[in-house]
């Protein structure tokens, strides 16, 4: 199956920014992929990377969810009460939960990613099971499970928000493997975006 994925992925140039998954476990943010014989050329920021076709496992598209009505900068709408309740119950910042939901699903409770992450806080099936989320598309259950996961990650990394967010996005195993935020553009941008938005929110009056 992997060989077929490589052939299909490398047969044509990608039309937009995607991720090349390498056999080493690395993920490269690319804008083009072209196969030439038994080699592949990946277009990355700043140039071209060439490697053996066997070193490329697949090319994955970025998850892009269709925009819903403009997402609120602070808890509002039908999820405000659910976010506030979860924040108070688990001692997690209300603004943090809100910004995670905004980035993860754009407040779409039916969002499903290519990695099978689901719902407002994009819970993987195993994460949903761990936190007893029976219906991952139910906003109350999803927010409750996602918030408890955030709480556990914050405790695991002794309050280090950047590491907790990196683990939420890429998984604790990746954080442990790289001894910090993994060198994946997707994860680095995820951490930077949420921490920057939280910093801006702190500056703004309530």
């Amino acid at each position: 199956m992997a060989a077929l994925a490589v052939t299909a992925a490398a047969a044509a140039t990608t039309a937009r920014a995607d991720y090349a998954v390498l056999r080493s476990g690395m993920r490269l943010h690319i804008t083009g992929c072209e196969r030439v014989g038994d080699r592949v050329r990946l277009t990355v920021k700043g140039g071209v990377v060439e490697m053996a076709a066997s070193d490329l496992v697949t090319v994955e598209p970025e998850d892009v969810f269709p925009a819903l009505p403009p997402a609120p900068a602070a808890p509002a709408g039908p999820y405000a009460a659910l976010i506030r309740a979860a924040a108070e119950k688990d001692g997690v910042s209300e603004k943090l939960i809100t910004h995670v939901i905004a980035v993860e699903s754009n407040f779409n409770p039916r969002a499903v990613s290519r990695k099978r992450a689901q719902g407002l806080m994009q819970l993987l099936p195993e994460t949903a099971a761990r936190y007893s989320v029976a219906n991952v598309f139910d906003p109350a259950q999803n927010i409750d499970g996602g918030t408890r996961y955030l709480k556990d990650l914050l405790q695991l990394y002794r309050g280090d928000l950047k590491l907790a967010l990196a683990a939420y996005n890429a998984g604790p195993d990746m954080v442990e493997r790289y001894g910090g935020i993994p060198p994946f553009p997707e994860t680095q941008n995820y951490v930077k975006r949420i921490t920057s938005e939280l910093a801006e929110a702190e500056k703004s009056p309530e």
Side-chain angles (χ1 to χ4, degrees):
M1 289 298 293
L4 291 176
V6 171
T7 301
T13 300
T14 54
R16 65 191 187 102
D18 295 317
Y19 290 98
V21 181
L22 308 186
R23 199 164 298 282
S24 65
M26 291 292 290
R27 285 158 56 87
L28 298 178
H29 198 234
I30 64 172
T31 55
C33 178
E34 180 182 9
R35 180 160 186 164
V36 181
D38 61 352
R39 309 285 292 177
V40 289
R41 293 174 181 166
L42 304 176
T43 303
V44 298
K45 184 177 181 180
V48 174
V49 175
E50 186 172 325
M51 65 183 67
S54 59
D55 289 335
L56 175 64
V57 177
T58 189
V59 173
E60 298 179 344
E62 287 188 285
D63 287 325
V64 179
F65 297 114
L68 294 178
Y79 310 122
L82 298 177
I83 292 170
R84 186 166 295 113
E88 292 176 353
K89 179 170 73 74
D90 295 307
V92 177
S93 164
E94 196 171 329
K95 290 180 179 178
L96 172 59
I97 300 169
T98 301
H99 285 291
V100 167
I101 292 174
V103 175
E104 287 286 347
S105 67
N106 200 21
F107 293 90
N108 178 358
R110 306 297 299 180
V112 178
S113 79
R114 55 183 167 73
K115 296 178 183 177
R116 298 184 304 136
Q118 301 170 326
L120 287 169
M121 297 191 74
Q122 289 291 277
L123 303 181
L124 289 169
E126 53 267 32
T127 305
R130 186 191 317 163
Y131 292 97
S132 302
V133 179
N135 180 1
V136 78
F137 296 115
D138 176 73
Q141 293 186 45
N142 192 287
I143 291 172
D144 181 73
T147 300
R148 283 190 286 146
Y149 185 35
L150 273 175
K151 176 185 178 180
D152 287 349
L153 291 174
L154 286 166
Q155 290 178 339
L156 176 64
Y157 299 111
R158 299 189 173 102
D160 190 318
L161 177 59
K162 291 184 178 180
L163 290 183
L165 288 171
Y168 196 97
N169 177 261
D173 289 346
M174 288 294 104
V175 173
E176 181 177 351
R177 174 188 291 186
Y178 291 102
I181 300 173
F184 308 149
E186 176 186 1
T187 301
Q188 293 178 346
N189 291 336
Y190 178 90
V191 172
K192 182 178 180 180
R193 177 177 172 184
I194 293 179
T195 55
S196 296
E197 289 176 350
L198 285 171
E200 286 299 316
E202 289 298 323
K203 296 176 185 177
S204 302
E206 293 293 337

